[in-house]
Amino acid sequence: MKRTKLEVCVDSVESALAASRGGADRLELCGCLPMGGTTPELSLYRAVRHCTDLPVRVLIRPRAGDFCYSAYEFGIMCDAVALFREEGADAVVTGCLTPEGDVDLERMKRLREAAGPMDMTFHRAFDMARDAGQALRDIESLGGISTILTSGQAPDVEKGIGNLKAIIAGADGRLDIMPGGGVNSGNLEHLEEELHAPVYHMSGKMAVSSRMIYRNPAVSMGEDSSSEYRIWRTDEEEVRKARAILG
């Protein structure tokens, strides 16, 4: 029987090491995970490659927000795909939509060309598509995309179980449907009983307090006033529990 895989999304060397020790099968590497993830720095990719032996899939997303990109943003994405291909990444994780909410086939074809022989995951832009069935057919038509990361077009995987079942059935094994978005050790057994997916995606993140002793309460670098003193890291034990559930 084929082993169910566990992909862990990380945005630091510390988290990559924790995921590896916990039993992850592969990593999705990104930057700025609390913002939903953006393209990581090349230096971070190199450091993770140096420190772990796990396959690394690299997120290609130039900014937070929607998945309808300007010409400048799309050019940056194409360059990033080519760069990480040259660096030996195992796959890239990306996605583009049209303003109408369809898969942007023309741009996805160009990203596939930039990827060459490298594998590709279509990420949760899928969950923002107008029609899941049509998006699935469009992604299949592109070729060279092995995986779709999705919560079932719902806020999280538990709310999306019904849709995930339909998407998995629609894919009919032609590509891997990877449930992600709220996957954790507390719900993974139920998800596996319902979905029998070939791979699951989680971050397993926990908040770690900053090492800063002096803290300026009057200044914030972002929207969350406490964000400077709360760092998110992958919880090794959470990954270990998830891996044990999957066997």
Side-chain angles (χ1 to χ4, degrees):
M1 186 175 179
K2 194 173 181 180
R3 185 175 190 259
T4 303
K5 292 182 179 179
L6 180 65
E7 177 180 282
V8 178
C9 188
V10 302
D11 64 357
S12 67
V13 176
E14 291 85 352
S15 289
L17 290 170
S20 179
R21 291 191 299 264
D25 294 289
R26 71 186 188 213
L27 303 174
E28 182 195 312
L29 182 65
C30 67
C32 302
L33 184 53
M35 297 174 62
T38 56
T39 305
E41 296 286 347
L42 179 59
S43 56
L44 173 59
Y45 169 81
R46 288 173 173 168
V48 167
R49 276 296 203 193
H50 178 74
C51 293
T52 78
D53 294 326
L54 291 177
V56 178
R57 298 188 169 208
V58 179
L59 179 65
I60 306 297
R61 187 184 182 211
R63 56 162 171 77
D66 65 33
F67 304 103
C68 184
Y69 298 109
S70 72
Y72 294 114
E73 289 169 335
F74 181 66
I76 291 168
M77 293 171 72
C78 290
D79 288 347
V81 170
L83 174 64
F84 285 107
R85 181 198 70 213
E86 292 168 2
E87 285 286 323
D90 295 276
V92 288
V93 181
T94 194
C96 297
L97 299 178
T98 67
E100 295 74 26
D102 297 311
V103 174
D104 192 327
L105 289 170
E106 187 58 39
R107 285 187 162 182
M108 288 306 301
K109 287 175 184 176
R110 289 175 60 188
L111 290 171
R112 264 285 1 132
E113 290 172 3
M118 187 170 49
D119 199 0
M120 184 176 283
T121 293
F122 194 96
H123 60 35
R124 289 189 64 200
F126 182 89
D127 291 326
M128 307 302 286
R130 176 181 54 82
D131 183 295
Q134 184 61 52
L136 174 61
R137 291 189 292 273
D138 287 343
I139 292 166
E140 287 179 331
S141 74
L142 288 165
I145 298 177
S146 68
T147 307
I148 295 176
L149 170 61
T150 174
S151 63
Q153 295 202 316
D156 59 63
V157 287
E158 292 186 85
K159 292 182 176 67
I161 282 180
N163 289 340
L164 281 163
K165 286 182 177 179
I167 295 165
I168 290 170
D172 194 27
R174 290 185 294 272
L175 44 72
D176 289 341
I177 303 301
M178 177 169 60
V183 173
N184 57 64
S185 64
N187 61 21
L188 188 51
E189 185 172 2
H190 177 235
L191 292 171
E192 176 63 353
E193 288 174 352
E194 293 289 328
L195 301 175
H196 304 291
V199 55
Y200 291 88
H201 172 97
M202 68 183 296
S203 65
K205 62 182 182 290
M206 63 177 178
V208 177
S209 182
S210 167
R211 294 171 56 234
M212 290 294 296
I213 297 171
Y214 170 73
R215 303 186 178 194
N216 186 344
V219 178
S220 173
M221 299 295 114
E223 295 180 1
D224 184 345
S225 62
S226 65
S227 63
E228 281 71 52
Y229 306 111
R230 187 179 67 235
I231 301 167
W232 293 99
R233 293 283 187 255
T234 297
D235 183 346
E236 177 182 338
E237 187 56 32
E238 172 67 4
V239 175
R240 183 172 290 109
K241 289 178 181 177
R243 180 66 267 169
I245 290 167
L246 294 176

